[in-house]
Amino acid sequence: MADVAFLAEFADGHPTRSALELAAGAAELAAAAGGGAVGLAYGPGAADGAASLGAAGAARVVVLDSAAAPAVTVAGPLVEAVRAAAPVAVLAPATPNGRDLAAVLVGSLGLPAFGPVRAVHMEGGAVRCEMSTLQGAMITASQSASSAPATSVVLVSSGTYAPSEGSGTAVVSQAPAADSPQTKVRIVESATEAAAIAALEEAEIIVAGGRGVGSEAGFEALNQLAAALGGVVGASRAAADAGWVPYQLQIGQTGKVVKPALYLAVGISGAIQHRVGMQAAEHIVAINRDPDAPIGEFADLFVVGDLFEIVPRLTAEIERRKGA
Amino acid sequence: MAPPTSTQSQSSETGYRLSREHDELRALVRQLAEERIAPRAAEIDAKAEFPWDLKQLLAEHDLLGTGFEERHGGTALDGIGQAIVVEEVARADATTSLIPVIQKLGALPIMLAGSEEQKDRYFPRLASGEWLPAFALTEAGAGSDVASVRMRARREGEDYLLSGTKRFITHGSVANVLTVFALTDPDAGGRKGMSGFIVETDTPGFSVARLEHKMGIRGSPTAELTFDEVRVPAANRLGEDGDGFKIAMSTLDRSRLAIASQAVGIAQGATDAALAYAAERRQFGERIVDFQAIQFMLADMASQTEAARQLTYAACARVDDEDPNLAYWTSAAKLIAGDTAMRATTDAVQVFGGYGYITEYPVERMMRDAKITQLYEGTQQIQRLVIARRLLARAGVESRGR
Amino acid sequence: MKIVVCVKQVPATTAEKRYTSELRLDRAATEAVINPLDEYAIEQALRLKEGGVVDEVVYLSMGPDSASEALRRSLAMGGDGGVLVTDPALAGADQWVTARVLAAALDRLAPEVTLMGMASDDARGSLVPGAVAAIRGLPLLAYGAELRLTDGAAQIRRLNPTGFDILEAPLPVVASVTDQVGEPRYASLKGIMAARRVELTTWALADLGLDPAGVASLTRLVGADPPPAKPPAQVISGVGPDEAATRIADWLAERKLIA
């Protein structure tokens, strides 16, 4: 009988989408392990919102800290809470904050680490994790070694689990304070540069533009298509490097890794450095004027044509169907 | 008369071996060439502009000093190392590859015949790439026929006054310093009366009369230079009065090897481009690279380029060794490599089909660029003369040809 | 002030063999290179040295003997020394083992800043910097778009969806940087020649006071397969834009992605 813990990050008084996704995932895994999902909550609003994680799947929640401070500063109470709870796994989001905390857990307690995973199951009382490696060329399955401690740290990409809407409240407890070298990290300056850009990792529908879009102005058509679809805009590295979109929209090897239900790649050739950022999308549609573009090899629907002609017409058609 | 003996070159112990260092060097230059030079090639050709930015890039990465001693700030690479630099740049862009080529060519007369003082005076700035040199020998009436040079160098006290015109001087308009050949003793004729000089281009009386519009290597300025009583101190004369012809010939015997490397690079670039294109292009439901006709062309291009490359390296080793027969080797390398470049680029255009003819694809430029390797630094016909002369000499056959 | 940059030697990303109007890279899959993301860390460290803030840049790598290549390539970009930790017992080391071993080496080297790239290109692990920080008891400044050093402290600019935060911690720290640092420089020819002459330090586990039994991997691979084959794309071509738009909308509607 073993619990499955998960990192529950709060922001602006609410649980983040990753907290809700991991709550569902932890609940699913815990059911197979014969235990319950244990939330490890931190960030502004964590104390007040902890109980609500029950509806998301948590049996109980340990509140680490509610301060507005870098996530890594809760390392002290996190390590103690994990030591005390001894779960079979700790699920962490594959975001910079999640990775910071997962890494500190691995180093402090000497734990096996996996991920980002495509899937994780219980097998013989231990976790078995599936990961995509070598830029998607291989799917590997890993488990902890027999001599390893019983708690595994598992990085989970956004979109791997869907939040569930159940009922119930979780039992909330406060973690005892514990110091760590990470409390020395502090924010000395914060800047908001642009209107909040919707987190790409959390989007269900992404319309992404590449070199073929040609300019900042060219992205206007993609903005409209994304709006019509109820999605967000992303970009390949070529478009971000050219300054047509902010860096935060970059998807790929050195950008974001996304897993939306629909990825519409417009004017993107599909080189491997981009592919690794989006190949796990459920449906991939590509529009490109080059019939030999590599993206044709892994898209579900490949449309050969001029994006400047097709995208506005597609937007209009979608709007028309909505109105009808 | 005794029958001709074997025409085979005297075998010597000169072999060559490529090392790990050569591979690392090639990887460095190839990375620079693919990432920074290749993307500029089409623009350089279209605008016919000298790529100052790429000259700066090469200088910053110590690639213009490969022929200079470490004490002058160079990296003193062996002949094959210097060849690799030119080859890899030429694979991306023939115009840019002339920068390291001329950096050596312009300085060679000083390397061969200059005094230590002259080397110390000029080589540091050449090795660093701060200054560009050029080699000013050719005139309107003196191309293949070097001895027909007419430019005068009139002695006046401790100076010489140079008057005349030079034509087709690569980098003549961008050079800071020239190695110039002029008649100090017109009555003695070109072979005995020519002398070599180092001339700084900011000297009064020197001017660039015009630049040629060319078929290829369009970004490389080819200049007509006018000398109107340009004053050159005797301290800038190379060797003694009358040494000029020998210095010029000695220079060309070595510098033509750099052209061989340039040609090898152009041929390789064309072959690589043709292969990549053929692997993507589909006609009749198949990739054209799967058709034997295309495979045969690619096989010829690749193997002939490799042959030219290996011959060039063998020649480099002989130049490094100061082999008395080095002219035979460098001529053979330049002959084979130049013809290979022309053939490979023509075939590359053929592989591309109609697309090979339009400027959106690089092979038409490569074909236009390749032609010059059959013309400058000694036409292919001159190379054949040089080779034949050596062949006959070795076989003990008296030469009576024209 | 000393920075140690941890570099990893990885197989090169196999590039597509693709023709465009520029010549494309074509690297064999078996070629070993410096982890591309580590190059940004190298670039950041060298800039700090050029700025006069840092006196010494040393490279540290854990791997087989051939990983000395990665150290020499790093030195060819600039830097002062290289340390290789190599031991047969370390073959197939996981992130925990890597962190444990690097931490032991770093304790001996005692730099003010330990700098790494944000992840490795092969396994995409990314936890090593943080694990090293935890093991060494040092603050972690990860995912910096830029690293700055002030009097006794390090700062990183960390991007977030709405802008950025500047995070600061007192030295010594463990930091990682992203590709936002800027294009890594090329090696120069003189750099390559100088790198060949540098004497690398080599340590085995025993030199670090580590017992092979204490650094056994905590994870094990139990299976590796190519991903399930995806059916080939449905292709729409040779039709006008109106027709194409209609067909795309139909396709999306069939899958309930639009109304």
Side-chain angles (χ1 to χ4, degrees), chain B residues 20-21 24-25 28 31-32 34-36 61-63 66 70 73 75 77 91-92 275-276 280 352 360-362, chain C residues 17-27 39 69 72-73 183 185-193 196-197:
Chain B
R20 168 79 98 41
E21 282 80 20
E24 277 174 7
L25 172 65
L28 165 65
Q31 184 186 16
L32 275 171
E34 286 182 339
E35 292 178 13
R36 302 286 296 277
H61 292 85
D62 312 314
L63 295 173
T66 60
E70 289 190 349
T75 50
L77 296 186
R91 177 175 171 270
L275 174 56
E280 295 285 340
F352 273 70
E360 203 176 313
Y361 294 83
Chain C
K17 214 173 192 253
R18 222 186 121 53
Y19 177 73
T20 62
S21 58
E22 308 157 5
L23 293 174
R24 276 285 183 221
L25 282 168
D26 172 12
R27 289 199 273 232
E39 286 188 26
E69 263 318 294
R72 293 213 188 273
R73 280 177 208 233
E183 276 313 300
R185 62 197 63 191
Y186 298 102
S188 69
L189 181 49
K190 286 185 182 170
I192 292 178
M193 292 166 75
R196 243 175 258 144
R197 295 193 280 258

Side-chain angles (χ1 to χ4, degrees), chain B residues 75-96:
Chain B
T75 50
L77 296 186
D78 64 2
I80 292 178
Q82 295 177 47
I84 287 173
V85 173
V86 172
E87 232 183 276
E88 288 299 324
V89 176
R91 177 175 171 270
D93 180 34
T95 289
T96 307

Side-chain angles (χ1 to χ4, degrees), chain A residues 97 99-100 139 141 143 145 182 186 188-191 193 247 253-254 290 298 300 302 304 313 321, chain C residues 18 121 126 138 140 143 158 162 164-166 168 179-180 218 220 222-223 225 230 234 236 242 250:
Chain A
N97 287 346
R99 289 175 199 253
D100 280 354
I139 308 291
Q143 292 188 288
Q182 304 311 327
R186 60 193 192 96
V188 296
E189 195 188 315
S190 259
E193 290 186 312
Y247 158 84
Q253 187 181 51
T254 51
D290 177 3
F298 59 96
D300 296 302
F302 184 40
V304 182
R313 286 172 171 78
R321 294 183 190 212
Chain C
R18 222 186 121 53
D121 215 26
S126 82
L138 297 179
L140 171 68
Y143 299 99
R158 179 155 150 160
T162 52
F164 63 84
D165 294 318
I166 308 267
E168 183 183 285
D179 65 333
Q180 290 300 295
L218 300 176
R220 61 197 179 93
V222 297
D225 293 295
K230 213 174 153 168
Q234 187 180 330
I236 298 176
D242 289 303
D250 287 340

Side-chain angles (χ1 to χ4, degrees), chain A residues 55-228:
Chain A
R60 60 186 182 91
V61 177
V62 179
V63 177
L64 304 177
D65 202 299
S66 295
V72 77
T73 57
V74 309
L78 173 64
V79 168
E80 291 313 311
V82 169
R83 210 198 296 266
V88 68
V90 179
L91 305 185
T95 58
N97 287 346
R99 289 175 199 253
D100 280 354
L101 289 172
V104 169
L105 263 180
V106 166
S108 302
L109 297 174
L111 302 178
F114 304 91
V117 299
R118 312 170 7 122
V120 50
H121 310 284
M122 294 304 302
E123 197 175 274
V127 296
R128 180 193 162 99
C129 299
E130 258 179 39
M131 286 161 289
S132 174
T133 58
L134 296 182
Q135 293 93 32
M138 270 311 204
I139 308 291
T140 58
S142 298
Q143 292 188 288
S144 50
S146 46
S147 58
T151 303
S152 293
V153 175
V154 182
L155 284 177
V156 181
S157 301
S158 156
T160 306
Y161 295 109
S164 60
E165 255 138 80
S167 57
T169 32
V171 175
V172 179
S173 62
Q174 181 74 38
D179 200 13
S180 88
Q182 304 311 327
T183 55
K184 296 190 201 151
V185 178
R186 60 193 192 96
I187 299 178
V188 296
E189 195 188 315
S190 259
T192 305
E193 290 186 312
I197 297 167
L200 277 173
E201 292 106 328
E202 302 185 359
E204 283 295 296
I205 295 181
I206 298 178
V207 177
R211 194 187 297 270
V213 176
S215 66
E216 192 176 334
F219 267 84
E220 191 38 45
L222 273 67
N223 289 340
Q224 287 173 8
L225 178 56

